[in-house]
Amino acid sequence: MKSNLFLALCLPAAVFAQEASNTAGSEVYPNTFSSGSAKISQFNNSAKRFNDWAVSVGGGTALMKKSDLTSFYGDEVNWGWNAYVSLDKQLTHTFGLSLMYSMGQTNQRGMLPGVWGATAGVAEAWTKYKQITVLGDINFSNLLRRVDNHSPYRWALHGYAGLGTMGYETLLLDNNLSRYAPNTFPIAVDQKLGFSSLFFQGGAGLKYKVSELIDIETRVMYVMSGDDEFDGGGDLFDTGHPSINYNMINPSRSDDMVTINLGLSFKIGKHDSHLAWHDPMQEIYYRTADLEQNSNELIVCKKGDLDNDAVCDDWDRELNSPAGARVDGAGVAIDMDLDGVIDLYDRCVTVPGTAENNGCPPGSK
């Protein structure tokens, strides 16, 4: 008794385990995890329908903004230049990462306060720099855009933020020390590219989709150097010699720069569209509409039901069941007492009999 009960409990589990092992690891669809739908495929790298790599190049101007010697002096702007190239990887439709290399030069002017300023005049300085940055990219248009029935959009607002390292050379000339102490001055700094000079930059860009392969972008970035010598004022602070205290013109210990660039992004890959311009919600609505307009009709009983027993001829094992006879799932007329007389003609449905006596035992009426 106990052994029979044990088998009764274990047998369904064994059957289920066998079925699960046959389908759980299968790569053939439909399977247990596909809800019976055959319109699915594996989500792997070969199933991608968009590109996610790009190379960007651009250039523009660089201006020293928050510093001791600035690019904005009086009514004049001392223009510099900036250029960049980056390798871009789009991780999702709203976020990506870039490895960017930048180089350029800023030109700035400044004047010491008091009598020393009158003696030295307006000092001129320049900074030549090289930067390597890991930059995060947030696509605000994909993050905030509503799904509607408008044509595919071509404008996108991006936000950028990242950390990097840089190297730079600076030079400062004035009318005092540069003339009387040529062996010591002009003031110069040579900061090698390395982790000793980390900086932060952030900004925004507006992209326009020219084609499936090219985007054009205008980008404004704010660079916080964290160095007081980035503007050309030298690497000394409060020396006790007012004639060289250019780093005390502005109390901030970080010289900051602004870059304004116009650039191009070249999207890499074999697919028609790029992930940065991909909108999952728009695709979901499109798929839903497509399914509604192109519904697949389920056709049953292709061969009909010749004997009208409600069992399709496709799987009816008895195509000529008598009208009114009860049939099983295979379309065979039911004979409950198994006496060879179907229940439609059997007057003794539960007792075996003979056909001559209408399905009743011999001698009975």
Side-chain angles (χ1 to χ4, degrees):
M1 179 65 180
K2 290 183 178 180
S3 60
N4 292 338
L5 181 60
F6 178 76
L7 289 174
L9 292 174
C10 292
L11 185 59
V15 172
F16 177 78
Q18 182 180 10
E19 179 185 4
S21 64
N22 288 336
T23 60
S26 176
E27 297 180 359
V28 180
Y29 297 96
N31 59 28
T32 352
F33 304 101
S34 67
S35 301
S37 173
K39 292 187 176 182
I40 61 174
S41 60
Q42 274 192 307
F43 187 72
N44 52 25
N45 196 56
S46 61
K48 288 196 310 183
R49 291 176 291 104
F50 41 75
N51 304 318
D52 50 14
W53 287 96
V55 173
S56 299
V57 296
T61 187
L63 303 167
M64 201 68 70
K65 180 67 175 66
K66 183 182 176 184
S67 54
D68 302 288
L69 296 100
T70 70
S71 298
F72 305 91
Y73 189 84
D75 297 330
E76 297 182 1
V77 178
N78 299 278
W79 299 97
W81 65 272
N82 177 74
Y84 71 89
V85 59
S86 68
L87 180 63
D88 312 321
K89 169 67 173 179
Q90 197 71 28
L91 301 180
T92 71
H93 72 294
T94 60
F95 181 74
L97 286 175
S98 299
L99 180 63
M100 184 171 70
Y101 175 79
S102 307
M103 62 183 302
Q105 176 177 325
T106 60
N107 300 305
Q108 44 272 357
R109 306 177 75 188
M111 187 173 182
L112 292 170
V115 64
W116 296 104
T119 303
V122 178
E124 296 186 357
W126 52 255
T127 302
K128 297 179 181 179
Y129 61 88
K130 298 177 181 179
Q131 300 172 333
I132 299 176
T133 315
V134 176
L135 206 61
D137 175 3
I138 298 179
N139 188 332
F140 288 110
S141 294
N142 269 349
L143 190 64
L144 304 175
R145 194 172 67 92
R146 296 187 311 169
V147 175
D148 49 36
N149 59 353
H150 295 171
S151 59
Y153 69 106
R154 289 184 173 270
W155 292 95
L157 178 64
H158 288 250
Y160 302 98
L163 292 172
T165 181
M166 64 178 172
Y168 52 86
E169 298 179 17
T170 69
L171 180 68
L172 180 144
L173 299 171
D174 65 13
N175 295 329
N176 183 25
L177 296 173
S178 301
R179 180 176 58 182
Y180 293 108
N183 295 328
T184 307
F185 296 93
I187 299 174
V189 171
D190 185 3
Q191 173 69 52
K192 302 299 183 182
L193 181 66
F195 291 103
S196 58
S197 185
L198 297 176
F199 71 94
F200 168 83
Q201 67 172 325
L206 186 62
K207 278 191 176 183
Y208 177 74
K209 182 181 179 182
V210 178
S211 68
E212 298 297 344
L213 297 178
I214 299 176
D215 295 339
I216 188 170
E217 178 186 27
T218 177
R219 183 185 297 187
V220 179
M221 301 294 292
Y222 189 86
V223 178
M224 299 176 61
S225 72
D227 293 341
D228 204 14
E229 59 268 24
F230 187 53
D231 62 350
D235 55 2
L236 301 176
F237 184 80
D238 195 10
T239 63
H241 300 281
S243 60
I244 60 174
N245 281 345
Y246 283 96
N247 277 341
M248 295 186 66
I249 296 176
N250 190 316
S252 173
R253 299 300 297 272
S254 175
D255 297 331
D256 300 343
M257 176 179 68
V258 174
T259 61
I260 304 172
N261 296 305
L262 183 66
L264 295 173
S265 291
F266 300 94
K267 292 164 278 190
I268 302 172
K270 62 181 180 179
H271 301 285
D272 294 332
S273 62
H274 193 272
L275 182 54
W277 297 98
H278 180 74
D279 186 357
M281 288 302 298
Q282 188 179 59
E283 182 179 4
I284 290 173
Y285 280 106
Y286 169 77
R287 287 292 190 104
T288 302
D290 184 58
L291 289 174
E292 289 176 349
Q293 295 172 7
N294 301 284
S295 59
N296 295 323
E297 295 183 0
L298 180 63
I299 301 176
V300 296
C301 288
K302 290 183 180 181
K303 298 180 180 179
D305 181 12
L306 185 63
D307 52 9
N308 294 316
D309 60 357
V311 178
C312 297
D313 291 349
D314 303 65
W315 52 83
D316 196 333
R317 293 174 57 190
E318 189 176 75
L319 298 175
N320 57 348
S321 302
R326 293 188 303 159
V327 297
D328 59 16
V332 178
I334 295 175
D335 178 12
M336 184 177 294
D337 53 13
L338 302 176
D339 59 0
V341 181
I342 63 174
D343 292 354
L344 178 65
Y345 305 129
D346 198 332
R347 297 180 58 183
C348 301
V349 176
T350 59
V351 180
T354 62
E356 293 78 9
N357 201 25
N358 296 321
C360 292
S364 62
K365 296 181 179 180

